[in-house]
Amino acid sequence: MSQHYTRTAKALHWLMAVLILGMLPLGFYMSGLKLSPQKLQLYSWHKWAGVTIFLLALVRLAWRATHRPPPLPASLPRSQQIAAAAGHWLLYILIIAIPLSGWLMSSAKGFQTVWFGVLPIPDLVGKNKELGSLLTDVHVALNFLLIAVLLGHVGAALKHHFYDRDDILLRMLPRKTREN
Amino acid sequence: MESTQQPVRVQQLRQLRQGAVGLLLFVALGLAQAVEYRNVQPEKSAINFTYKQMGVAIDGRFRKFAAQLNFDPAKPTAAKVSFDVDLASVDAGSPDADQEVVGREWLNTKSFPSARFVATSVKPTSGNKYEVNGKLTIKGQSRDVVIPATFTPAGNNGLFEGGFTIRRGDFAIGEGAWSKFDIVANDVQIKFRITAAQ
């Protein structure tokens, strides 16, 4: 039986989970720092990780489009099925939109993003102070939305596991026995 | 009679014309020699710089500077060039950087308000290219620099363009936590475009 996600889907999910859970506190921490070499370093790392998340998100969407995820249990009420679908699509949108807003914001502030200090990513917008602060607001707002959706996502997974005692969480976890 | 007088008049006319042309040439040459570009047009001039921060190139500029220039293309070696750059007028690429870079660890503009360049020699190299040697003083430190520059006449104006690279470490620009070059690179490219009228 194939009630589990594919290994690739699991790997992408958990890799991004780790990156995003690191990026959120990093983003809030670094933006409050006084200018220092450390601040510049953290900003660069944040941007490199952001580009990485963006690319992983694209891979993930491509994988999702070509591999059907295991269906939700038929016993799940329709309202919860809709909520699950909406939540997941909102997460997909955010993992694309948040790096995009960060990249554009960086360009508008006059800092090109150079992935790992080696690969320059083109500036889609020119230096523009107003646009820079607008995109900063957008980036921050999208991240607050992400935090809210993530709380729902994690809360729902835990509720399924500990309250409903179904396999919703388990099917995203590594299998105990190697059978696939 | 006519046949004997005409050659004389023609000759006189020719001499007169030659004289006039000679005079014009003389005046023109005299003017050409006196062509000296010296009135710097601040609104048509710029001093920009580029530095790298973790591999990312960032552009900056100085909004205020004064340049003294006497350049005669016919006598380039007699040229006189000096610059005074108001360091507090810096645009370092972002408001954060602007605030930081005037501070004690960077340019320390309170103690060293301006950077100064004085040319010691100007040598033509090829075509419209010149090599300007001189002394650059920033933050109390002086270094000899060689600046390749070009000169392009444009109507009554002359356009001087060039660029060179300094190492910020040579001038103690970025001390303390900033003295390592892993985050903010040592090399700073400086580019200028100076327009001067005759």
Side-chain angles (χ1 to χ4, degrees), chain B:
Chain B
M1 270 195 31
E2 270 187 67
S3 58
T4 53
Q5 264 186 348
Q6 204 159 8
V8 175
R9 275 178 60 193
V10 167
Q11 210 175 354
Q12 279 176 338
L13 264 174
R14 200 177 283 154
Q15 276 173 351
L16 200 65
R17 206 158 36 180
Q18 276 172 353
V21 168
L23 189 69
L24 272 176
L25 258 174
F26 178 76
V27 169
L29 273 173
L31 276 177
Q33 264 180 348
V35 167
E36 191 178 60
Y37 296 89
R38 56 201 179 89
N39 296 314
V40 173
Q41 318 273 293
E43 71 283 0
K44 289 181 192 160
S45 303
I47 298 179
N48 298 314
F49 58 89
T50 304
Y51 63 103
K52 276 202 165 182
Q53 201 171 278
M54 288 195 82
V56 180
I58 294 161
D59 297 323
R61 70 196 166 111
F62 290 100
R63 295 183 180 91
K64 271 169 67 187
F65 53 89
Q68 290 79 43
L69 190 70
N70 295 82
F71 179 83
D72 177 351
K75 292 180 287 182
T77 53
K80 287 198 185 80
V81 187
S82 68
F83 282 93
D84 285 284
V85 180
D86 178 358
L87 295 177
S89 74
V90 67
D91 168 1
S94 66
D96 258 10
D98 290 353
Q99 214 174 30
E100 175 71 21
V101 87
V102 294
R104 204 176 44 79
E105 289 182 327
W106 290 92
L107 292 167
N108 194 3
T109 57
K110 267 194 190 136
S111 305
F112 304 98
S114 62
R116 186 164 172 75
F117 171 78
V118 182
T120 48
S121 77
V122 176
K123 282 185 287 193
T125 47
S126 70
N128 67 338
K129 295 191 176 75
Y130 299 87
E131 186 184 283
V132 183
N133 286 270
K135 202 173 271 293
L136 179 64
T137 307
I138 309 173
K139 211 181 174 182
Q141 313 279 324
S142 290
R143 289 282 183 282
D144 290 325
V145 290
V146 181
I147 306 175
T150 60
F151 164 72
T152 318
N156 275 336
N157 290 335
L159 180 63
F160 301 85
E161 288 173 294
F164 59 107
T165 300
I166 64 163
R167 283 175 305 201
R168 65 182 181 89
D170 287 349
F171 300 92
I173 302 170
E175 295 177 70
W178 297 103
S179 59
K180 284 199 289 178
F181 306 121
D182 53 347
I183 307 290
V184 180
N186 196 6
D187 283 359
V188 179
Q189 273 89 41
I190 297 177
K191 264 191 236 150
F192 59 87
R193 195 184 70 242
I194 305 295
T195 304
Q198 290 169 23

Side-chain angles (χ1 to χ4, degrees), chain A residues 33-42 44-45 48 109-114 116-118 127 129, chain B residues 51 53-59 91-98 100-101 106 177-178 182-184:
Chain A
L33 289 176
K34 188 182 160 292
L35 187 60
S36 67
Q38 192 207 12
K39 179 172 184 168
L40 297 180
Q41 187 159 53
L42 293 178
S44 290
W45 289 347
W48 300 348
K109 289 184 166 203
F111 298 101
Q112 192 180 21
T113 300
V114 182
F116 296 109
V118 181
K127 192 170 177 178
K129 208 174 166 187
Chain B
Y51 63 103
Q53 201 171 278
M54 288 195 82
V56 180
I58 294 161
D59 297 323
D91 168 1
S94 66
D96 258 10
D98 290 353
E100 175 71 21
V101 87
W106 290 92
W178 297 103
D182 53 347
I183 307 290
V184 180

Side-chain angles (χ1 to χ4, degrees), chain A residues 102-135:
Chain A
W103 167 30
L104 295 176
M105 157 179 111
S106 190
S107 294
K109 289 184 166 203
F111 298 101
Q112 192 180 21
T113 300
V114 182
W115 200 26
F116 296 109
V118 181
L119 187 76
I121 315 284
D123 289 319
L124 293 192
V125 296
K127 192 170 177 178
N128 179 328
K129 208 174 166 187
E130 287 73 35
L131 186 61
S133 49
L134 173 70
L135 286 166

Side-chain angles (χ1 to χ4, degrees), chain A residues 102-180:
Chain A
W103 167 30
L104 295 176
M105 157 179 111
S106 190
S107 294
K109 289 184 166 203
F111 298 101
Q112 192 180 21
T113 300
V114 182
W115 200 26
F116 296 109
V118 181
L119 187 76
I121 315 284
D123 289 319
L124 293 192
V125 296
K127 192 170 177 178
N128 179 328
K129 208 174 166 187
E130 287 73 35
L131 186 61
S133 49
L134 173 70
L135 286 166
T136 306
D137 292 344
V138 170
H139 192 66
V140 172
L142 288 176
N143 274 291
F144 278 117
L145 180 59
L146 176 68
I147 291 170
V149 183
L150 279 182
L151 285 175
H153 182 67
V154 174
L158 294 177
K159 179 209 170 247
H160 278 289
H161 190 69
F162 292 109
Y163 184 77
D164 300 331
R165 294 179 182 277
D166 58 25
D167 69 344
I168 294 281
L169 174 63
L170 292 177
R171 59 194 202 156
M172 189 45 104
L173 293 177
R175 284 176 198 266
K176 278 188 190 123
T177 50
R178 296 213 159 268
E179 51 186 274
N180 61 337

Side-chain angles (χ1 to χ4, degrees), chain A residues 36-94:
Chain A
S36 67
Q38 192 207 12
K39 179 172 184 168
L40 297 180
Q41 187 159 53
L42 293 178
Y43 265 77
S44 290
W45 289 347
H46 185 86
K47 291 176 193 183
W48 300 348
V51 175
T52 308
I53 289 175
F54 179 72
L55 294 176
L56 284 173
L58 294 180
V59 172
R60 223 177 141 185
L61 279 175
W63 188 265
R64 172 68 177 75
T66 51
H67 298 77
R68 249 190 119 71
L72 292 169
S75 58
L76 205 64
R78 184 148 170 76
S79 61
Q80 285 188 34
Q81 302 227 11
I82 291 169
H88 288 147
W89 280 110
L90 194 49
L91 283 173
Y92 284 129
I93 291 167
L94 287 172

